[in-house]
Amino acid sequence: MDHDHLLKLQYANDAFAAFHPDPNFVRKFLKPLLIGALAPTEPSQDHGKNKELVQDFQTLRNHLEREGFFRARLLFYCLYLGHILLLEALALGLFWVWGTSWSLTLLCSLMLATSQAQAGWLQHDFGHLSVFKKSSWNHVLQKFVIGHLKGASANWWNHRHFQHHAKPNVFSKDPDVNSLHVFVLGDKQPVEYGIKKLKYLPYHHQHQYFFLIGPPLLIPVYFHIQILRTMFLRQDWVDLAWAMTFYLRFFCCYYPFFGFFGSVMNSSFIVFKLSTVLENNTSHWFVWVTQMNHLPMEMDHERHQDWLTMQLIATCNIEQSTFNDWFSGHLNFQIEHHLFPTMPRHNYHLVAPLVRTLCEKHGVSYQVKTLQKAIIDVVRSLKKSGDLWLDAYLHK
């Protein structure tokens, strides 16, 4: 096998290794799909890639695997799940002991919103197969957390989220940047829309209406519709059954306090219908954490870049602190998470200095922001994109 063909395999292996903790198991299913090796005369997407960078990244990954950075500490995840269940139990206990006054309902709403957000980060861990060695155990626990604790679908989440990881901020490939003409993102899409005179909404005001239809509506409206539609269209009855246990549990728990109608409303709108505060909590929490690492970064059409470069131009980190780690589910280390999705999150801070050193060696930008700056940059990015659209719409 010649040197160029080995390099092509390396480019493919970076993505393959990122998603599969047990590649030998997966290869059993790939054998029937093998067509053959690409002939040297055929067009290649690998021209222009930094061969030394690719080799150095694989050397780093091999080192991390040997040193045990891909092994999870089960006690960490047990305690993490425990604090989620504790918040749910405390909220219910407060209702049982002191009743449903407005002040107590507000407090319990905050506690339940917190448990919902943290359950979202935990199911994310299981979905990436980063906790247990056996994939089946990860799958079962993910269905429990996202289904029973959150009322959503594991298969829906994984299908959407893995596309995002494979091609972050790549138009038509990353579903997270498919804004359904509601927003124009990055530097190129706004200009393309402007030149074509596309004006579905006043995009030069998108940094303002983002606060009205972005964080408040993503989970309670768009995600709920998409989840239900996906489960029924794909006949995913297992995930639907798991989700129904969430609603059944909340109906049974809160019927004594709110009556039939109140309990149904509570479960139908995911915990935060205990009070309007939850609408501005769980969904806002999820949107700001997931967007501050990606939305202000570079967005483009497919450029066929190597794994490290593709992830770094689309991703930034947030400064480490105990609060930031907890608040974001360790996604403040978004760079390390995107490079090594199957790595347990409690090891990101140990790996970060090694990744930064590799980036410095090859001149790849490694961005770290404060939490405040990262949130502000989301709004600045939307305003910049809106201004680019307006200029192109009026003058090009």
Side-chain angles (χ1 to χ4, degrees), residues 194 197 386-396:
K197 308 306 177 187
D387 291 342
L388 288 171
W389 168 83
L390 184 62
D391 180 67
Y393 186 83
L394 296 176
H395 304 119
K396 295 183 181 180

Side-chain angles (χ1 to χ4, degrees), residues 80-92:
Y80 202 91
L81 176 59
H83 103 286
I84 294 169
L85 298 177
L86 179 62
L87 284 169
E88 299 243 357
L90 282 175
L92 184 60

Side-chain angles (χ1 to χ4, degrees), residues 282-294:
T282 307
S283 192
H284 274 272
W285 193 331
F286 174 83
V287 171
W288 288 110
V289 168
T290 56
Q291 295 308 305
M292 65 185 181
N293 299 105
H294 292 298

Side-chain angles (χ1 to χ4, degrees), residues 143 147 151-155 227-228 231-232 235-247:
K143 288 185 183 296
S153 165
N155 290 335
I227 289 168
L228 288 172
M231 288 192 295
F232 279 103
Q235 299 182 355
D236 192 350
W237 311 129
V238 173
D239 275 14
L240 181 62
W242 274 107
M244 288 302 101
T245 66
F246 166 83
Y247 294 101

Side-chain angles (χ1 to χ4, degrees), residues 200-268:
Y200 297 96
L201 286 169
Y203 296 122
H204 54 299
H205 294 300
Q206 65 178 4
H207 62 293
Q208 297 167 324
Y209 66 71
F210 171 77
F211 290 94
L212 299 176
I213 64 176
L217 300 182
L218 181 69
I219 290 179
V221 177
Y222 178 65
F223 272 10
H224 278 185
I225 293 172
Q226 195 179 64
I227 289 168
L228 288 172
R229 181 176 180 273
T230 299
M231 288 192 295
F232 279 103
L233 287 179
R234 296 181 182 174
Q235 299 182 355
D236 192 350
W237 311 129
V238 173
D239 275 14
L240 181 62
W242 274 107
M244 288 302 101
T245 66
F246 166 83
Y247 294 101
L248 179 62
R249 173 170 62 91
F250 267 86
F251 176 79
C252 293
C253 288
Y254 293 99
Y255 172 78
F257 311 111
F258 298 98
F260 178 80
F261 180 75
S263 297
V264 171
M265 291 297 289
N266 184 35
S267 60
S268 296

Side-chain angles (χ1 to χ4, degrees), residues 126-127 129 134-144 154 158:
F126 291 123
L129 311 179
K134 288 187 176 181
S135 297
S136 59
W137 293 6
N138 287 291
H139 291 314
V140 170
L141 265 294
Q142 185 190 20
K143 288 185 183 296
F144 169 76
N158 291 339

Side-chain angles (χ1 to χ4, degrees), residues 42-65:
E42 291 296 316
S44 173
Q45 299 174 348
D46 298 327
H47 298 302
K49 293 180 180 178
N50 187 330
K51 298 178 181 179
E52 184 182 357
L53 184 154
V54 173
Q55 292 174 334
D56 285 350
F57 176 73
Q58 291 202 330
T59 299
L60 172 61
R61 181 181 180 88
N62 293 337
H63 167 73
L64 298 176
E65 289 177 346

Side-chain angles (χ1 to χ4, degrees), residues 157-330:
W157 170 267
N158 291 339
H159 179 73
R160 177 187 178 92
H161 192 59
F162 293 164
Q163 292 179 75
H164 161 70
H165 266 271
K167 295 290 179 180
N169 285 10
V170 176
F171 293 120
S172 77
K173 295 189 176 182
D174 179 1
D176 286 5
V177 297
N178 177 17
S179 61
L180 303 175
H181 305 303
V182 177
F183 302 101
V184 287
L185 306 175
D187 293 341
K188 293 189 176 181
Q189 188 185 60
V191 176
E192 292 172 354
Y193 271 51
I195 291 174
K196 295 176 182 178
K197 308 306 177 187
L198 298 177
K199 186 182 180 181
Y200 297 96
L201 286 169
Y203 296 122
H204 54 299
H205 294 300
Q206 65 178 4
H207 62 293
Q208 297 167 324
Y209 66 71
F210 171 77
F211 290 94
L212 299 176
I213 64 176
L217 300 182
L218 181 69
I219 290 179
V221 177
Y222 178 65
F223 272 10
H224 278 185
I225 293 172
Q226 195 179 64
I227 289 168
L228 288 172
R229 181 176 180 273
T230 299
M231 288 192 295
F232 279 103
L233 287 179
R234 296 181 182 174
Q235 299 182 355
D236 192 350
W237 311 129
V238 173
D239 275 14
L240 181 62
W242 274 107
M244 288 302 101
T245 66
F246 166 83
Y247 294 101
L248 179 62
R249 173 170 62 91
F250 267 86
F251 176 79
C252 293
C253 288
Y254 293 99
Y255 172 78
F257 311 111
F258 298 98
F260 178 80
F261 180 75
S263 297
V264 171
M265 291 297 289
N266 184 35
S267 60
S268 296
F269 290 94
I270 306 281
V271 185
F272 49 71
K273 265 301 181 182
L274 284 167
S275 99
T276 55
V277 134
L278 285 168
E279 183 175 315
N280 295 311
N281 245 289
T282 307
S283 192
H284 274 272
W285 193 331
F286 174 83
V287 171
W288 288 110
V289 168
T290 56
Q291 295 308 305
M292 65 185 181
N293 299 105
H294 292 298
L295 197 144
M297 304 300 289
E298 185 175 327
M299 297 186 186
D300 205 342
H301 300 284
E302 179 62 79
R303 292 164 62 183
H304 303 296
Q305 295 169 305
D306 63 82
W307 181 255
L308 184 139
T309 302
M310 177 180 65
Q311 301 295 340
L312 266 291
I313 65 172
T315 310
C316 69
N317 278 3
I318 311 302
E319 287 182 346
Q320 183 190 19
S321 70
T322 301
F323 174 78
N324 287 352
D325 290 351
W326 174 84
F327 178 74
S328 68
H330 288 85

